[in-house]
Amino acid sequence: MAFDYPSDLKYLDSHEYARVEADKETVTIGITSFAVDQMGDVVFLELPEVGDSVEIGENYGTNESVKAVEDLKAPVSGEVLEINAALVETPEDISPDAAYEGGWLIKVKAANLSDLDQAMSAADYQQQVEGE
């Protein structure tokens, strides 16, 4: 399967992505299409509450599939503005095809966008994934 690596995103080696939105302070976070494909069917998703704080590099939730339970790591520090409640209700809707659109998990008001300086570019992430 060929995976998408949108160039406007930043990537973590733990297979999360971050998209800086037009307001330059909201960051949409999700898991990459590669990660979704590797996990198989997602059966349970645990996300923080709106208003919670997340810290860069720290766990903010879990993603349970038929194969494993994975911790979700935050690419930025900040306050949770929104969670994808539809996916919490029906986590099986997470698919490689929708990972970057309807498959987002949380939206965070970033405390400092320079947190993303530590993340990988699309080209670097693609090399990591396809080199595995």
Side-chain angles (χ1 to χ4, degrees):
M1 176 174 190
F3 299 103
D4 286 333
Y5 306 95
S7 61
D8 63 326
L9 305 180
K10 292 291 198 167
Y11 299 85
L12 299 184
D13 59 8
S14 52
H15 307 291
E16 286 85 12
Y17 68 81
R19 174 187 295 119
V20 178
E21 300 299 341
D23 66 8
K24 300 291 188 214
E25 61 182 25
T26 302
V27 177
T28 299
I29 301 168
I31 49 178
T32 67
S33 60
F34 171 79
V36 174
D37 179 71
Q38 295 298 300
M39 289 183 312
D41 294 334
V42 177
V43 295
F44 181 75
L45 193 59
E46 180 181 77
L47 298 175
E49 300 288 325
V50 171
D52 285 355
S53 292
V54 296
E55 295 294 324
I56 184 172
E58 298 294 315
N59 297 344
Y60 68 84
T62 56
N63 177 13
E64 185 175 335
S65 73
V66 293
K67 295 181 179 178
V69 176
E70 299 287 336
D71 289 328
L72 299 166
K73 301 232 186 276
V76 296
S77 296
E79 178 187 344
V80 177
L81 298 175
E82 188 177 349
I83 65 166
N84 193 335
L87 286 184
V88 172
E89 293 297 317
T90 55
E92 62 274 9
D93 288 349
I94 298 174
S95 73
D97 296 336
Y100 303 115
E101 297 305 323
W104 62 273
L105 300 178
I106 63 173
K107 295 186 180 189
V108 173
K109 181 177 181 180
N112 191 341
L113 285 179
S114 68
D115 285 352
L116 292 175
D117 292 348
Q118 299 174 42
M120 288 182 274
S121 68
D124 289 342
Y125 180 71
Q126 182 175 2
Q127 173 143 10
Q128 174 186 311
V129 167
E130 294 180 359
E132 289 181 346

